[in-house]
Amino acid sequence: MGIKNVMLIINPCAGRKSGKKNADKVISMLKKHGLECTLFMTQRRGDATQFVIDDGNKYDIVVCMGGDGTLNEVINGVLKAHLSIPLGYIPAGSTNDFARSMHLSKNLEKSARIIAECNVQDIDAGLFNDRYFGYVSSFGLFTRTSYSTPQKVKNVLGGKPSYLLHGLTELGKVRAEHMKVETNGKTYEGDFLFGAITNSTSLGGVLKYDPKLVNMGDGKLEMMLIHKPKNPAQLFSILRSLLSKKITNNPYIEFDRSDKFTIYPIARSDWSLDGEFAYATGSSEIRCLKSKIKFICPPIDKG
C-alpha cells in the first residue's frame, strides 16, 4: 500500500494551546501508523487556507489540528483548490461542534488510528455566497459570540461556558433581526432572535439537534429560525423545545431542510460561518454542495 504523505496543519493557539504542546506527539503517533508528516503551523487567520491552496496537491491526506475555525479554513482551501483527497481532523478547539457530529475523539492516539485507517465518508459542504463552510452558518444570539469571544477566555473556560458567559454579556446588545428566507417554495419571514442553516447536530456546544433530523451526506442543510418571544411563556416554550431537541412542532421555531436557501435581511446582517465572521447585505444565497468533502471518520458501528 505504501507510505502515505500527510500535510499536517496545526493551529498552535486553539483550545488550551494543545496543538502547540502536542505537535511532536501527533507526528510521532501518525508515523507509528505508517504516515509521513510535513508540519505546517499557522500564525495568522487565513494561513491554513493558503497552505492547502499552495501545497495540498503534493500530499495524499490533509490533516488539521485545531478548532472549528481551523477546520473551516482547511475546507475552504481544499474546495478552492479543487482537491479530491481525504481530510482528517484532530479536534483541539474550545467547542468542536463538527467533531461531535462526526463522533471524533480528542484522544490523540484514537485520532491517529482513525486517520491511519482512512475510512472516508463523503459529506456535504455549505456555500454562503462565495464562501464555503463545513457545518454552520448562523445569525443572531450567540453568533457574534462565536467569533468575538477572546481566545484567552475560551482557553481558560472551555467552549460552552465561555460562549455562554460572553453571550450573556451581550444580551443587552441583542436585537431580533427581521429576516425573510425562501426555500422549498415557502417563505419564512419575521423578527428572529437566532437563525442557523447547518449540517451538524451541535451548534456552539449549546444547541443540539436530534441526530435523526440530520444526515451529513444527503445533499440537504437544516434550517432553524427562532422567533423573538413576546412574553415569558413563549420564551419558556422555546427553551423547553431546544433542551428536549423537539423543535419541529413548536410554533415559535421554524424548521425546514433544503439544498438552497435565499435570505433577505432588511439591513446588513452579521453571520458566523463555522465561527468565522461573515455578513449579508441584500439577498444572499446559501447552498448545499453534496458530497464535496472526503472526510476521515470512525468506521460505522454495525453492531
Side-chain angles (χ1 to χ4, degrees):
M1 204 162 87
I3 293 175
K4 291 183 178 179
N5 293 311
V6 174
M7 180 183 206
L8 176 62
I9 300 173
I10 292 181
N11 178 351
C13 298
R16 293 179 171 86
K17 299 186 178 181
S18 60
K20 184 177 182 179
K21 297 173 185 174
N22 293 303
D24 290 340
K25 188 175 182 180
V26 170
I27 292 172
S28 176
M29 287 181 173
L30 290 172
K31 188 171 184 178
K32 184 177 73 173
H33 288 282
L35 303 175
E36 287 294 333
C37 297
T38 302
L39 176 62
F40 294 76
M41 195 80 77
T42 64
Q43 296 182 24
R44 61 187 66 84
R45 190 181 299 273
D47 275 357
T49 297
Q50 200 59 50
F51 289 156
V52 177
I53 291 173
D54 291 344
D55 295 302
N57 62 352
K58 301 173 185 176
Y59 297 90
D60 302 308
I61 300 172
V62 176
V63 174
C64 69
M65 182 176 182
D68 292 328
T70 308
L71 180 62
N72 174 272
E73 287 195 14
V74 172
I75 287 173
N76 270 269
V78 168
L79 296 182
K80 287 178 179 179
H82 306 289
L83 299 179
S84 183
I85 60 175
L87 168 59
Y89 179 37
I90 302 174
S94 305
T95 308
N96 303 309
D97 279 320
F98 191 86
R100 286 191 179 90
S101 295
M102 298 300 294
H103 308 291
L104 299 180
S105 172
K106 295 184 74 171
N107 179 278
L108 297 182
E109 176 59 39
K110 288 182 180 178
S111 294
R113 187 173 67 250
I114 288 169
I115 290 167
E117 290 172 352
C118 204
N119 177 69
V120 173
Q121 178 180 335
D122 291 338
I123 64 172
D124 303 333
L127 183 65
F128 183 99
N129 289 332
D130 60 351
R131 286 180 58 183
Y132 300 103
F133 61 93
Y135 76 96
V136 61
S137 57
S138 65
F139 70 89
L141 184 63
F142 293 114
T143 291
R144 183 175 182 274
T145 301
S146 67
Y147 55 77
S148 65
T149 303
Q151 186 64 51
K152 289 182 179 178
V153 175
K154 297 181 191 177
N155 290 349
V156 171
L157 296 178
K160 186 188 298 186
S162 66
Y163 287 136
L164 286 171
L165 176 62
H166 204 63
L168 289 173
T169 66
E170 294 188 340
L171 277 176
K173 308 173 190 175
V174 171
R175 58 178 176 79
E177 294 201 37
H178 192 88
M179 189 78 65
K180 180 170 73 172
V181 182
E182 294 178 349
T183 189
N184 291 330
K186 303 175 188 174
T187 299
Y188 300 90
E189 185 170 6
D191 295 324
F192 299 110
L193 202 60
F194 175 80
I197 296 172
T198 68
N199 192 34
S200 175
T201 59
S202 177
L203 306 176
V206 180
L207 305 178
K208 297 181 185 298
Y209 281 131
D210 183 336
K212 295 177 182 177
L213 294 176
V214 181
N215 180 333
M216 298 181 72
D218 64 354
K220 299 289 181 69
L221 300 175
E222 284 69 41
M223 178 193 76
M224 175 170 62
L225 301 171
I226 301 177
H227 288 273
K228 181 180 180 180
K230 297 180 179 179
N231 53 58
Q234 290 183 7
L235 175 60
F236 178 76
S237 174
I238 291 169
L239 292 174
R240 183 174 57 190
S241 292
L242 293 174
L243 290 172
S244 67
K245 303 178 189 176
K246 297 178 180 178
I247 63 171
T248 55
N249 294 314
N250 189 302
Y252 313 115
I253 301 176
E254 308 287 0
F255 179 84
D256 208 338
R257 61 164 58 87
S258 179
D259 60 353
K260 179 182 175 182
F261 301 83
T262 305
I263 59 174
Y264 301 90
I266 294 298
R268 167 175 157 150
S269 175
D270 290 346
W271 286 67
S272 169
L273 306 182
D274 300 341
E276 301 298 301
F277 174 75
Y279 67 89
T281 55
S283 66
S284 293
E285 187 174 278
I286 300 174
R287 292 196 295 125
C288 182
L289 307 177
K290 183 173 172 57
S291 303
K292 272 291 186 178
I293 305 170
K294 294 184 176 300
F295 199 83
I296 298 174
C297 58
I300 297 173
D301 184 4
K302 297 180 180 179

